[in-house]
Amino acid sequence: MDNAIVATHPHTHETAVPAEHEHVALPQHRHHFETQEQQREAGTFGMWLFLLTEIMFFGGLFFAYLLYRNWYNPAFVAASNQLSIPLGTANTAILISSGFFMALGVWAAEVKKKNLLVLFLVLTTVFGLAFLGVKYFEYKEKWELHHIPGASFDVSQFINPHAYGLKEEPLAPDMAQKTQVFFFLYFAMTGMHALHMIIGIGLLFWLTWRANRGEFSAGYVAPIENFGLYWHFVDIVWIFLFPLLYLINRHPV
Amino acid sequence: MSEFHDPSNVVNPEHADHHIVTPAVYGIVFATLLVFTGITVAAAFKNLGILNPIVALAIACTKGVIVILFFMHVKYQSKLVKLTVTAGFFTFLVLITMTLTDYISRAWGLWS
């Protein structure tokens, strides 16, 4: 079927009015894309496909958590209550701040402000490192309490909580063993999240160095934008990890 | 689909639209996320019975959607990207539902 636009405009706008389309061939514009917008959309589309595989990956861990939490609920409640809510809340705020500065970084790249972009990328990195720093102290405490699953795992706090000054209900020895399942999932989920952050911080160093050379402040925003998508995805994972791991059953019984 | 060469997207300009989100919007989103973080911590200390995990997850989903729409610019993206994101989460929900159906039905009738 004939297209109406073909019939009325044998040439597209671009060829009809060449003066309005003084295309500057930017080095980042690949020749197999017809327009810069098409290239940008293709990049965003590809990045989201990658993030969907990440959703499936973390989704499997979340599903394991859902299932075992229902099976061993008393153990999950007692073990979860050993996590520090002040540290978890602080870390949530730190990570949201990091994501905020990342978002501002994308804006700075869009409006071609090089120094602001570098500053925001550095702030993103600083808050990311602060998050990992807090996580280090949380892990260290679990190490000292023998709450890392394995041969050295110690259930005595869960069998006899009153002897340790805890207000938990004592668990039967078989249920107390299941606190290992909680801590296994806790370390698996927060550990994979932390690994994603470490990779992200590595990329941030590289992007900051390139941004400082002015590579992203002349109209080429894609690397900053797509890294931003990755960084915000890592934020979202934590947004779900925090209530699920730290906040189950905190209310007074 | 048009069959002719259309480099400047005269026919289908949809994905040519490019929106720059302003720092003011990011600031509002940032504040909203912090407020929701406070609400979820406060709600955890209230005894809401069976509603506790539901409230916690509802707040987490709200925060997640806000991040996806604004920080990740999905609100301003083309229909292709919106559909991709939605399809991904939908597929994830399907997988969860099917797996849960299996686990629930295996011990059918053996609940205490």
PDB file of all heavy atoms in Angstrom, chain B residues 28-42:
ATOM      1  N   ILE B  28      12.936  16.265  44.398  1.00  0.00           N
ATOM      2  CA  ILE B  28      11.654  15.824  44.955  1.00  0.00           C
ATOM      3  C   ILE B  28      11.651  14.307  45.117  1.00  0.00           C
ATOM      4  O   ILE B  28      11.227  13.763  46.145  1.00  0.00           O
ATOM      5  CB  ILE B  28      10.499  16.282  44.038  1.00  0.00           C
ATOM      6  CG1 ILE B  28      10.410  17.813  44.031  1.00  0.00           C
ATOM      7  CG2 ILE B  28       9.171  15.671  44.470  1.00  0.00           C
ATOM      8  CD1 ILE B  28       9.522  18.376  42.947  1.00  0.00           C
ATOM      9  N   VAL B  29      12.175  13.598  44.098  1.00  0.00           N
ATOM     10  CA  VAL B  29      12.224  12.135  44.161  1.00  0.00           C
ATOM     11  C   VAL B  29      13.098  11.686  45.336  1.00  0.00           C
ATOM     12  O   VAL B  29      12.728  10.785  46.102  1.00  0.00           O
ATOM     13  CB  VAL B  29      12.765  11.568  42.828  1.00  0.00           C
ATOM     14  CG1 VAL B  29      13.074  10.090  42.957  1.00  0.00           C
ATOM     15  CG2 VAL B  29      11.748  11.785  41.716  1.00  0.00           C
ATOM     16  N   PHE B  30      14.241  12.331  45.487  1.00  0.00           N
ATOM     17  CA  PHE B  30      15.174  12.013  46.577  1.00  0.00           C
ATOM     18  C   PHE B  30      14.484  12.162  47.935  1.00  0.00           C
ATOM     19  O   PHE B  30      14.512  11.252  48.781  1.00  0.00           O
ATOM     20  CB  PHE B  30      16.381  12.947  46.464  1.00  0.00           C
ATOM     21  CG  PHE B  30      17.410  12.781  47.540  1.00  0.00           C
ATOM     22  CD1 PHE B  30      17.945  11.534  47.814  1.00  0.00           C
ATOM     23  CD2 PHE B  30      17.860  13.880  48.267  1.00  0.00           C
ATOM     24  CE1 PHE B  30      18.907  11.378  48.800  1.00  0.00           C
ATOM     25  CE2 PHE B  30      18.817  13.731  49.241  1.00  0.00           C
ATOM     26  CZ  PHE B  30      19.344  12.478  49.521  1.00  0.00           C
ATOM     27  N   ALA B  31      13.805  13.313  48.133  1.00  0.00           N
ATOM     28  CA  ALA B  31      13.110  13.551  49.408  1.00  0.00           C
ATOM     29  C   ALA B  31      12.017  12.509  49.625  1.00  0.00           C
ATOM     30  O   ALA B  31      11.862  11.969  50.734  1.00  0.00           O
ATOM     31  CB  ALA B  31      12.517  14.961  49.405  1.00  0.00           C
ATOM     32  N   THR B  32      11.264  12.203  48.563  1.00  0.00           N
ATOM     33  CA  THR B  32      10.185  11.211  48.683  1.00  0.00           C
ATOM     34  C   THR B  32      10.742   9.855  49.118  1.00  0.00           C
ATOM     35  O   THR B  32      10.173   9.193  49.989  1.00  0.00           O
ATOM     36  CB  THR B  32       9.465  11.060  47.325  1.00  0.00           C
ATOM     37  OG1 THR B  32       9.165  12.360  46.832  1.00  0.00           O
ATOM     38  CG2 THR B  32       8.195  10.255  47.472  1.00  0.00           C
ATOM     39  N   LEU B  33      11.867   9.460  48.517  1.00  0.00           N
ATOM     40  CA  LEU B  33      12.451   8.160  48.853  1.00  0.00           C
ATOM     41  C   LEU B  33      12.884   8.126  50.318  1.00  0.00           C
ATOM     42  O   LEU B  33      12.697   7.125  51.013  1.00  0.00           O
ATOM     43  CB  LEU B  33      13.640   7.862  47.940  1.00  0.00           C
ATOM     44  CG  LEU B  33      13.309   7.586  46.468  1.00  0.00           C
ATOM     45  CD1 LEU B  33      14.580   7.476  45.648  1.00  0.00           C
ATOM     46  CD2 LEU B  33      12.489   6.310  46.330  1.00  0.00           C
ATOM     47  N   LEU B  34      13.463   9.246  50.801  1.00  0.00           N
ATOM     48  CA  LEU B  34      13.886   9.289  52.202  1.00  0.00           C
ATOM     49  C   LEU B  34      12.677   9.215  53.132  1.00  0.00           C
ATOM     50  O   LEU B  34      12.711   8.520  54.153  1.00  0.00           O
ATOM     51  CB  LEU B  34      14.700  10.559  52.470  1.00  0.00           C
ATOM     52  CG  LEU B  34      16.112  10.583  51.876  1.00  0.00           C
ATOM     53  CD1 LEU B  34      16.813  11.885  52.233  1.00  0.00           C
ATOM     54  CD2 LEU B  34      16.938   9.395  52.332  1.00  0.00           C
ATOM     55  N   VAL B  35      11.601   9.927  52.781  1.00  0.00           N
ATOM     56  CA  VAL B  35      10.395   9.899  53.613  1.00  0.00           C
ATOM     57  C   VAL B  35       9.838   8.480  53.680  1.00  0.00           C
ATOM     58  O   VAL B  35       9.503   7.976  54.762  1.00  0.00           O
ATOM     59  CB  VAL B  35       9.340  10.885  53.054  1.00  0.00           C
ATOM     60  CG1 VAL B  35       7.994  10.656  53.712  1.00  0.00           C
ATOM     61  CG2 VAL B  35       9.799  12.318  53.265  1.00  0.00           C
ATOM     62  N   PHE B  36       9.775   7.809  52.531  1.00  0.00           N
ATOM     63  CA  PHE B  36       9.252   6.433  52.518  1.00  0.00           C
ATOM     64  C   PHE B  36      10.146   5.492  53.332  1.00  0.00           C
ATOM     65  O   PHE B  36       9.648   4.560  53.961  1.00  0.00           O
ATOM     66  CB  PHE B  36       9.117   5.926  51.081  1.00  0.00           C
ATOM     67  CG  PHE B  36       7.781   6.261  50.459  1.00  0.00           C
ATOM     68  CD1 PHE B  36       7.694   7.084  49.349  1.00  0.00           C
ATOM     69  CD2 PHE B  36       6.605   5.749  50.996  1.00  0.00           C
ATOM     70  CE1 PHE B  36       6.467   7.400  48.788  1.00  0.00           C
ATOM     71  CE2 PHE B  36       5.381   6.055  50.429  1.00  0.00           C
ATOM     72  CZ  PHE B  36       5.311   6.887  49.329  1.00  0.00           C
ATOM     73  N   THR B  37      11.457   5.742  53.314  1.00  0.00           N
ATOM     74  CA  THR B  37      12.354   4.930  54.142  1.00  0.00           C
ATOM     75  C   THR B  37      11.996   5.087  55.614  1.00  0.00           C
ATOM     76  O   THR B  37      11.920   4.105  56.370  1.00  0.00           O
ATOM     77  CB  THR B  37      13.820   5.350  53.904  1.00  0.00           C
ATOM     78  OG1 THR B  37      14.108   5.246  52.515  1.00  0.00           O
ATOM     79  CG2 THR B  37      14.780   4.458  54.683  1.00  0.00           C
ATOM     80  N   GLY B  38      11.740   6.358  56.039  1.00  0.00           N
ATOM     81  CA  GLY B  38      11.333   6.600  57.417  1.00  0.00           C
ATOM     82  C   GLY B  38      10.023   5.904  57.742  1.00  0.00           C
ATOM     83  O   GLY B  38       9.884   5.269  58.794  1.00  0.00           O
ATOM     84  N   ILE B  39       9.060   5.984  56.807  1.00  0.00           N
ATOM     85  CA  ILE B  39       7.749   5.375  57.054  1.00  0.00           C
ATOM     86  C   ILE B  39       7.882   3.866  57.210  1.00  0.00           C
ATOM     87  O   ILE B  39       7.287   3.258  58.110  1.00  0.00           O
ATOM     88  CB  ILE B  39       6.773   5.705  55.895  1.00  0.00           C
ATOM     89  CG1 ILE B  39       6.491   7.199  55.850  1.00  0.00           C
ATOM     90  CG2 ILE B  39       5.466   4.935  56.062  1.00  0.00           C
ATOM     91  CD1 ILE B  39       5.653   7.625  54.664  1.00  0.00           C
ATOM     92  N   THR B  40       8.701   3.230  56.375  1.00  0.00           N
ATOM     93  CA  THR B  40       8.793   1.774  56.436  1.00  0.00           C
ATOM     94  C   THR B  40       9.439   1.320  57.744  1.00  0.00           C
ATOM     95  O   THR B  40       9.047   0.296  58.311  1.00  0.00           O
ATOM     96  CB  THR B  40       9.517   1.211  55.184  1.00  0.00           C
ATOM     97  OG1 THR B  40       9.273  -0.180  55.108  1.00  0.00           O
ATOM     98  CG2 THR B  40      11.007   1.445  55.199  1.00  0.00           C
ATOM     99  N   VAL B  41      10.421   2.099  58.245  1.00  0.00           N
ATOM    100  CA  VAL B  41      11.033   1.746  59.539  1.00  0.00           C
ATOM    101  C   VAL B  41      10.010   1.925  60.658  1.00  0.00           C
ATOM    102  O   VAL B  41       9.849   1.056  61.527  1.00  0.00           O
ATOM    103  CB  VAL B  41      12.293   2.595  59.792  1.00  0.00           C
ATOM    104  CG1 VAL B  41      12.828   2.358  61.192  1.00  0.00           C
ATOM    105  CG2 VAL B  41      13.372   2.261  58.761  1.00  0.00           C
ATOM    106  N   ALA B  42       9.273   3.057  60.628  1.00  0.00           N
ATOM    107  CA  ALA B  42       8.270   3.302  61.671  1.00  0.00           C
ATOM    108  C   ALA B  42       7.188   2.233  61.655  1.00  0.00           C
ATOM    109  O   ALA B  42       6.779   1.727  62.708  1.00  0.00           O
ATOM    110  CB  ALA B  42       7.654   4.690  61.472  1.00  0.00           C
TER     111      ALA B  42
END
